[in-house]
């Protein structure tokens, strides 16, 4: 199991680099990306079709970093977290992961067949939902941090890549200042700890660190996609419609 997870960690890191490298291969000049269609008050618009990557993946928390900062209320933070957590693609993607885990016979205590798949599905869904609500909702409310992703949209590909990944380590407080992203690390750490109650075959320190790495790596990949999605959409999708 550890070897399989190591492969996934490397795959996540590779995927993080793919989007900006595709853009950089086309030109090395500084990129000024088309802005996202978001509300002028810098609040993400939950439920809008434009707030999806590839028309499917939820992108409710992305706002333009150039717009004047306005703090969210506790209700808005929890609302964004709920949108991310209970959006319909979450249930489909979880089914894909559960199928992979079933094929690899991970967590043998779950067994095989329909019952084993159901246990793997609910466990993977629990990982996603608990992690999302903690890192994007409850902890930002308690710690007075902002759960949104602040997209740069300007500069070289490398500088924007650094800006996106940096937000895994740093986040804005409700006052607008940058500080350590405690909700990201503490929230995912708590989620991994809770997962020990249902992952009976993988409770070692190494297993826990690998699950934490996967959670944080997935969030880093998500941030990179959010940063470069308008560029990818403009270059590979919008131009074909004209």
């Amino acid at each position: 199991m550890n070897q399989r997870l190591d492969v996934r960690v490397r795959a996540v890191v590779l995927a993080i680099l793919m989007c900006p490298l595709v853009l950089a291969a086309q030109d090395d000049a500084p990129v000024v990306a088309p802005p996202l269609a978001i509300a002028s008050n810098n609040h993400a618009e939950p439920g809008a079709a434009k707030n999806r990557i590839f028309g499917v993946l939820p992108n409710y928390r992305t706002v333009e970093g150039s717009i004047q900062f306005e703090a969210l209320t506790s209700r808005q933070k929890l609302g964004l977290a709920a949108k991310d957590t209970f959006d319909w693609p979450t249930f489909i993607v979880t089914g894909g992961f559960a199928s992979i885990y079933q094929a690899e016979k991970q967590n043998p205590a779950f067994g095989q067949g329909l019952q084993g798949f159901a246990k793997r599905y609910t466990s993977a869904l629990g990982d996603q939902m608990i992690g999302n609500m903690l890192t994007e909702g409850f902890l930002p409310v308690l710690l007075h941090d902002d759960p949104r992703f602040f997209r740069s949209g300007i500069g070289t590909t490398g500088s924007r890549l650094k800006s996106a990944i940096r937000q895994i380590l740093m986040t804005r407080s409700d006052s607008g200042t940058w500080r350590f992203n405690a909700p990201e690390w503490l929230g995912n750490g708590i989620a991994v700890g809770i997962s020990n109650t249902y992952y009976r075959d993988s409770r070692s320190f190494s297993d826990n660190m690998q699950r934490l790495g996967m959670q944080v790596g997935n969030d880093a990949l998500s941030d990179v996609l959010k940063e470069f999605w308008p560029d990818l959409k403009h270059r590979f999708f919008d131009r074909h419609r004209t």
Side-chain angles (χ1 to χ4, degrees):
M1 176 179 175
N2 290 344
Q3 185 177 4
R4 296 189 186 113
L5 286 174
D6 288 339
V7 171
R8 290 203 190 103
V9 171
R10 290 194 293 270
V12 168
V13 173
L14 179 62
I16 289 172
L17 299 176
M18 283 180 62
C19 291
L21 286 178
V22 168
L23 296 170
Q26 298 187 30
D27 64 81
D28 295 324
V31 177
V32 179
L36 288 170
I38 57 175
S40 59
N41 65 355
N42 206 26
H43 294 168
E45 297 179 28
K50 55 182 166 286
N51 286 329
R52 292 186 182 277
I53 297 173
F54 298 114
V56 177
L57 301 177
N59 190 25
Y60 301 113
R61 295 185 301 114
T62 302
V63 293
E64 293 289 349
S66 59
I67 298 177
Q68 183 178 358
F69 177 82
E70 293 182 21
L72 296 178
T73 64
S74 296
R75 182 174 181 177
Q76 287 172 323
K77 293 176 184 180
L78 292 172
L80 287 177
K83 281 289 184 181
D84 258 3
T85 302
F86 300 103
D87 202 47
W88 62 264
T90 300
F91 300 92
I92 297 176
V93 173
T94 299
F97 280 114
S99 298
I100 294 173
Y101 302 153
Q102 181 92 342
E104 294 178 345
K105 298 182 180 179
Q106 286 197 30
N107 293 288
F110 288 163
Q112 290 297 110
L114 183 60
Q115 184 179 26
F117 178 82
K119 290 180 179 179
R120 290 180 176 88
Y121 183 89
T122 54
S123 297
L125 190 63
D127 291 344
Q128 182 73 14
M129 289 185 168
I130 294 170
N132 275 358
M133 290 306 300
L134 286 173
T135 61
E136 301 174 13
F138 296 120
L139 287 178
V141 169
L142 292 174
L143 300 177
H144 303 287
D145 286 326
D146 198 301
R148 291 172 293 183
F149 173 74
F150 294 89
R151 178 175 174 267
S152 173
I154 58 173
T156 64
T157 299
S159 67
R160 292 174 61 196
L161 176 62
K162 291 178 183 178
S163 174
I165 296 178
R166 172 178 174 264
Q167 293 187 54
I168 290 296
L169 297 174
M170 304 294 292
T171 189
R172 274 183 161 178
S173 67
D174 286 345
S175 65
T177 59
W178 290 92
R179 62 186 182 187
F180 176 67
N181 193 349
E184 172 70 26
W185 295 88
L186 182 59
N188 281 318
I190 294 173
V192 168
I194 293 174
S195 72
N196 284 316
T197 62
Y198 46 83
Y199 288 132
R200 292 185 291 169
D201 298 309
S202 54
R203 294 174 173 173
S204 69
F205 177 79
S206 175
D207 292 329
N208 278 268
M209 288 301 98
Q210 288 183 0
R211 282 202 295 273
L212 178 61
M214 284 298 299
Q215 292 277 56
V216 174
N218 285 334
D219 290 344
L221 171 59
S222 175
D223 284 353
V224 172
L225 285 174
K226 290 171 182 176
E227 175 64 36
F228 290 98
W229 166 240
D231 305 78
L232 295 170
K233 182 174 180 291
H234 175 70
R235 293 194 180 187
F236 299 112
F237 298 97
D238 291 345
R239 66 171 53 181
H240 295 300
R241 299 175 185 173
T242 59

